[in-house]
Amino acid sequence: MTSKITATLVICAVAGGVAVGALARPASAPQQTVAAAPAPTAEAAPQADAEQGNGYGGGAAEPAAPAPAAAEPAVITIEGFAFSGSGTFQPGQTIEVVNADGAPHTLTANDGSFDTGNLDGGGRAQLTLPTTPGTYSFFCAVHPSMTGTLTVAG
């Protein structure tokens, strides 16, 4: 004797997507109702993403783009009894001065508009540059032969 099998395709919308399955039953068997799996609790269910409009009424939202990192301050390094890293900066920009020498140094503007004060070997200081555009000459007050310039852009 041959049995005839009838398959019914079942499509159910569930939180976070669509479940697809097939129910098979003999053609002569009475039709049965299959209970759906319980819906996840509110704590476990993903939130709908209205901006994406994914059509499923749920799903994980796209992660937010990372906020831009705070700009690292420009660095002027004192090493080998010389300044390096000077250049063009923005008005009022904060710069970091690093003394990589063993001897104390300063970074002092010729016009007195900025000064780190004494920086011991390995010391660091932050300076806020003038807001007036121009080229500023500077020197080390401990070793006046050490000089440099920086430009505040206009």
Side-chain angles (χ1 to χ4, degrees):
M1 172 161 111
T2 308
S3 265
K4 182 176 178 184
I5 304 287
T6 303
T8 304
L9 182 63
V10 178
I11 301 175
C12 298
V14 293
V18 175
V20 178
L23 298 176
R25 63 178 172 82
S28 60
Q31 188 169 1
Q32 298 176 348
T33 303
V34 178
T41 63
E43 297 84 32
Q47 298 298 312
D49 186 359
E51 289 182 17
Q52 284 187 340
N54 61 17
Y56 294 116
E62 289 281 327
E72 293 287 323
V75 177
I76 294 179
T77 302
I78 304 169
E79 187 171 26
F81 288 78
F83 296 102
S84 65
S86 58
T88 301
F89 303 97
Q90 296 303 307
Q93 180 176 353
T94 298
I95 62 170
E96 184 172 26
V97 180
V98 177
N99 181 0
D101 276 344
H105 294 292
T106 72
L107 190 150
T108 305
N110 289 6
D111 68 2
S113 59
F114 52 87
D115 185 0
T116 61
N118 281 339
L119 292 176
D120 289 332
R124 296 172 176 263
Q126 290 196 342
L127 288 178
T128 300
L129 296 179
T131 56
T132 304
T135 299
Y136 293 83
S137 296
F138 58 86
F139 66 101
C140 171
V142 180
H143 308 99
S145 63
M146 294 173 54
T147 61
T149 60
L150 61 83
T151 301
V152 174

